[in-house]
Amino acid sequence: MNFFDVLAELLEASGFAALTWQNIAMILVSFVLFYLAIVKKFEPLLLLPISFGMFLVNLPLAGLMDEGGVINIMSYGVKSNLFPCLVFMGVGAMTDFSPLIANPISLVLGAAAQLGIYVAFIFATQIGFTPAEAAAIGIIGGADGPTSIYIANNLAPHLLAPIAVAAYSYMALIPLIQPPIMKALTTKKERAVKMGQLRKVSKTEKIVFPIAVVLFCSLLLPSVAPLLGLLMMGNLFKESGVVQRLSDTAQNAMINIITIMLGLSVGAKAEGATFLDISTLKIIAMGLAAFCFSTAGGVLLGKLLYIITGGKINPLIGSAGVSAVPMAARVSQTVGAKENPTNFLLMHAMGPNVAGVIGSAVAAGFFMMIFKGTM
């Protein structure tokens, strides 16, 4: 056997020979996501591990998602709903519900920003998806990755890959998707509205709030207890002031570790051979439409409140009603500051933003109560 025979056998056994056009297409998509995460800094904490997982899983013969493969082992945390629930605990420990408590109207804005969930649900049922599948697809409109994974695992596990990838990708691309919609639906005068300072919220209110939310929502919709329960437990760690070590762990070490493993696992769901089909493309398109309708729903209700209050509410805070915390609130602040540099909408936008987290979880619980037995 000469050198050229050895070289030919080596190439035949290598990943180069096994590359398909689907692999190449998904690797190129991962490169685009690398660019957005590293150069454009579009939520790199989410987008970088997702794009690298997508990149790795499309390298042929690497076996990362085979039985016993390292990312396949990680993905059990997604399939079991462990990672989504732990992420909610970390988010709860980092979240200040004071803006929502101080301004309860934020709940209405958070609810309005779930419009896309129901629009996508209706549309998906019309193009051939079952009601359970449509419900899982619709949750993408809430811009809530953990909740999307949670409901997909319960209602449409076979669609987990495209739903998870779409939900997290759109969450990361909020700074790109939302501003054009916000500007199209508001006037310069509305965007420049400066809102007054929120009232100070007492420690007692902060402690009672998470307990009351879990009690009411879990009794109303028991299936939402795992998500909301851990969200509010994390928040109680923070607000009680008596378990600082637990709060610090949930806010930092735990959520950082889970984010790495969750991101890699979600990205690794986008294997070219199974990911690139017509159903996936439909889900990604409907997810984008749902997200746009949710943004529009929040802004339009914000405009209505602007009129009702005589111009005291800036409609831009309505767009933060999607549950991507705190990304959507930061976008509201950025767009508002461009029209009025003295504007500080961040705390006002955080109210609808955290209300959106509760709203999307409640929507998921509602769908699961209705469709869990129809799978």
Side-chain angles (χ1 to χ4, degrees):
M1 182 177 291
N2 60 36
F3 171 77
F4 294 104
D5 291 332
V6 172
L7 182 61
E9 287 190 12
L10 178 63
L11 287 174
E12 286 179 9
S14 72
F16 287 104
L19 268 176
T20 65
W21 71 266
Q22 294 102 323
N23 293 138
I24 294 171
M26 294 309 299
I27 288 172
L28 292 176
V29 170
S30 75
F31 289 166
V32 173
L33 298 182
F34 283 146
Y35 173 79
L36 294 174
I38 298 170
V39 179
K40 294 298 184 180
K41 296 181 173 59
F42 285 164
E43 298 304 326
L45 289 177
L46 283 175
L47 208 53
L48 194 55
I50 289 173
S51 54
F52 210 86
M54 188 181 297
F55 171 66
L56 287 175
V57 80
N58 284 287
L59 299 176
L61 310 181
L64 294 167
M65 287 298 285
D66 293 346
E67 189 66 31
V70 62
I71 299 183
N72 184 52
I73 293 172
M74 287 185 198
S75 69
Y76 285 114
V78 175
K79 296 173 185 175
S80 66
N81 283 324
L82 175 64
F83 287 172
C85 291
L86 290 180
V87 166
F88 257 51
M89 186 195 298
V91 169
M94 293 187 291
T95 299
D96 182 2
F97 284 103
S98 296
L100 174 57
I101 300 170
N103 186 17
I105 197 70
S106 298
L107 279 171
V108 182
L109 288 168
Q114 309 310 311
L115 173 66
I117 293 176
Y118 303 102
V119 171
F121 167 74
I122 294 170
F123 185 66
T125 58
Q126 299 302 308
I127 61 172
F129 289 96
T130 68
E133 291 172 338
I137 294 167
I139 292 294
I140 298 172
D144 189 336
T147 302
S148 296
I149 291 173
Y150 184 78
I151 191 171
N153 275 330
N154 281 280
L155 295 185
H158 56 292
L159 298 180
L160 175 61
I163 287 173
V165 171
Y168 274 100
S169 298
Y170 293 141
M171 284 174 64
L173 296 176
I174 277 177
L176 191 65
I177 298 171
Q178 281 198 320
I181 300 170
M182 296 160 70
K183 291 177 182 177
L185 296 177
T186 57
T187 65
K188 182 178 178 66
K189 180 182 177 181
E190 291 169 343
R191 294 193 294 273
V193 169
K194 192 171 182 178
M195 297 179 67
Q197 188 172 356
L198 292 169
R199 73 171 178 86
K200 184 176 177 61
V201 176
S202 69
K203 183 174 180 178
T204 301
E205 290 176 287
K206 292 180 181 181
I207 291 174
V208 170
F209 180 79
I211 298 171
V213 169
V214 173
L215 179 64
F216 176 77
C217 292
S218 298
L219 289 176
L220 181 66
L221 299 166
S223 58
V224 83
L227 284 177
L228 275 186
L230 291 189
L231 175 75
M232 294 306 176
M233 185 176 77
N235 187 250
L236 194 59
F237 285 168
K238 171 180 180 288
E239 301 298 354
S240 67
V242 296
V243 286
Q244 192 60 45
R245 285 167 50 194
L246 299 183
S247 179
D248 287 343
T249 299
Q251 291 182 49
N252 297 293
M254 186 198 74
I255 197 168
N256 287 337
I257 292 169
I258 297 300
T259 298
I260 292 170
M261 294 192 289
L262 178 62
L264 279 171
S265 300
V266 168
K269 298 290 184 183
E271 188 173 4
T274 56
F275 191 80
L276 291 177
D277 61 36
I278 191 65
S279 293
T280 297
L281 297 178
K282 287 179 181 178
I283 289 169
I284 290 174
M286 282 186 291
L288 177 58
F291 188 76
C292 292
F293 272 105
S294 289
T295 301
V299 173
L300 290 174
L301 184 61
K303 284 174 71 76
L304 179 61
L305 293 176
Y306 167 85
I307 296 169
I308 293 172
T309 61
K312 293 181 180 179
I313 291 181
N314 190 315
L316 293 178
I317 69 171
S319 67
V322 296
S323 58
V325 179
M327 294 171 272
R330 289 204 298 260
V331 171
S332 297
Q333 165 63 28
T334 301
V335 176
K338 286 181 180 178
E339 301 296 348
N340 181 356
T342 66
N343 227 344
F344 191 73
L345 296 175
L346 184 61
M347 290 308 295
H348 295 281
M350 281 302 298
N353 206 184
V354 297
V357 177
I358 299 171
S360 63
V362 168
F366 173 72
F367 280 141
M368 286 173 61
M369 180 180 69
I370 297 176
F371 300 122
K372 186 70 182 286
T374 66
M375 291 173 57

